[in-house]
């Protein structure tokens, strides 16, 4: 879920979400290489923009073929020929389009740059990267002294994350520094 966001347009809230690959079949399905695996959830439907075009599209249908990947179909493109011109285009969306995720999960762009404080409200640094591990994520924190350390994204260490305030509270900080 937390692959690094290659780019986001700083002048707007535009977030890169993936790239379109080859067309699949005759009905207008196209391969979608996503930056965020949460977009595979069938209940998530966000508006997508092709490159920097103004028109947005909501995928009509998302199909996850575990052997061949993720395929999307847009209602504006009814056949193979109409979607082919979009091969290789980057898809963007806006931050406000992303729904909240369940179970203390967040999108990369929501956590990148968030300020990190200890349980005494002393600022430690900012989240500078996120590594996806099989059991949990690992938040890389760059401290005020430009050193780095990692926080396992588990309740034992992450006490609270407030996306609106751009603030993460960690606990057991001394334990982390001994690891």
């Amino acid at each position: 879920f937390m692959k690094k966001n290659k780019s986001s347009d700083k002048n707007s809230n535009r977030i890169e979400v993936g790239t379109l690959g080859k067309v699949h079949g005759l009905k207008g399905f196209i391969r979608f290489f996503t930056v965020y695996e949460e977009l595979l959830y069938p209940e998530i439907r966000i508006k997508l923009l092709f490159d920097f075009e103004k028109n947005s599209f909501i995928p009509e249908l998302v199909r996850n073929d575990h052997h061949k990947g993720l395929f999307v179909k847009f209602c504006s493109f009814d056949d193979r020929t109409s979607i082919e011109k979009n091969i290789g285009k980057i898809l963007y969306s806006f931050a406000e389009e992303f729904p909240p995720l369940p179970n203390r999960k967040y999108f990369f762009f929501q956590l990148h740059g968030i300020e990190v404080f200890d349980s005494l409200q002393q600022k430690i640094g900012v989240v500078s990267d996120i590594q996806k591990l099989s059991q949990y994520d690992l938040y890389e924190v760059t401290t005020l002294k430009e050193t780095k350390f990692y926080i396992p994204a588990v309740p034992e260490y992450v006490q609270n994350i407030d996306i609106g305030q751009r603030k993460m509270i960690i606990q057991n900080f001394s334990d982390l520094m001994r690891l």
Side-chain angles (χ1 to χ4, degrees):
F1 106 84
M2 291 296 196
K3 291 181 183 173
K4 199 168 208 169
N5 183 2
K6 289 191 210 170
S7 69
S8 49
D9 185 345
K10 305 236 186 230
N11 298 326
S12 70
N13 251 349
R14 207 178 290 223
I15 307 293
E16 181 181 323
V17 296
T19 307
L20 293 175
K22 293 182 179 180
V23 176
H24 183 72
L26 300 174
K27 296 182 179 178
F29 278 93
I30 191 164
R31 180 94 187 260
F32 180 45
F33 299 98
T34 181
V35 176
Y36 299 106
E37 70 185 42
E38 288 79 13
L39 298 179
L40 304 178
Y41 300 167
E43 66 276 10
I44 292 183
R45 290 290 179 266
I46 63 172
K47 291 179 186 172
L48 299 172
L49 295 97
F50 295 145
D51 287 329
F52 286 98
E53 296 174 9
K54 293 184 178 168
N55 297 330
S56 63
F57 303 92
I58 298 175
E60 173 186 332
L61 188 59
V62 177
R63 190 175 76 213
N64 189 0
D65 181 332
H66 297 289
H67 301 291
K68 295 181 182 176
L70 179 67
F71 297 90
V72 294
K73 168 129 181 41
F74 299 96
C75 57
S76 307
F77 303 99
D78 295 330
D79 59 34
R80 180 181 187 95
T81 307
S82 64
I83 194 68
E84 276 182 335
K85 65 183 175 197
N86 294 296
I87 292 173
K89 285 192 175 180
I90 296 172
L91 292 179
Y92 294 87
S93 192
F94 294 100
E96 57 271 11
E97 286 287 328
F98 288 78
L101 294 173
N103 304 326
R104 298 171 51 113
K105 297 264 187 197
Y106 303 94
F107 292 103
F108 178 86
F109 73 88
Q110 293 173 314
L111 293 176
H112 189 263
I114 200 168
E115 294 182 319
V116 178
F117 295 82
D118 66 16
S119 55
L120 300 173
Q121 298 297 314
Q122 299 294 314
K123 184 175 178 182
I124 297 168
V126 297
V127 173
S128 51
D129 200 3
I130 301 167
Q131 302 298 318
K132 176 88 173 143
L133 303 178
S134 60
Q135 294 180 345
Y136 53 83
D137 293 336
L138 212 60
Y139 303 144
E140 179 185 84
V141 175
T142 301
T143 68
L144 300 173
K145 296 179 181 179
E146 297 296 320
T147 60
K148 296 180 190 276
F149 70 96
Y150 292 90
I151 304 170
V154 296
E156 179 183 346
Y157 295 109
V158 179
Q159 182 179 345
N160 186 43
I161 296 176
D162 186 333
I163 296 299
Q165 295 290 318
R166 305 279 307 139
K167 186 175 185 180
M168 177 186 294
I169 308 291
I170 63 169
Q171 53 195 7
N172 302 324
F173 179 61
S174 56
D175 292 348
L176 287 169
M177 298 314 290
R178 281 186 251 156
L179 294 176

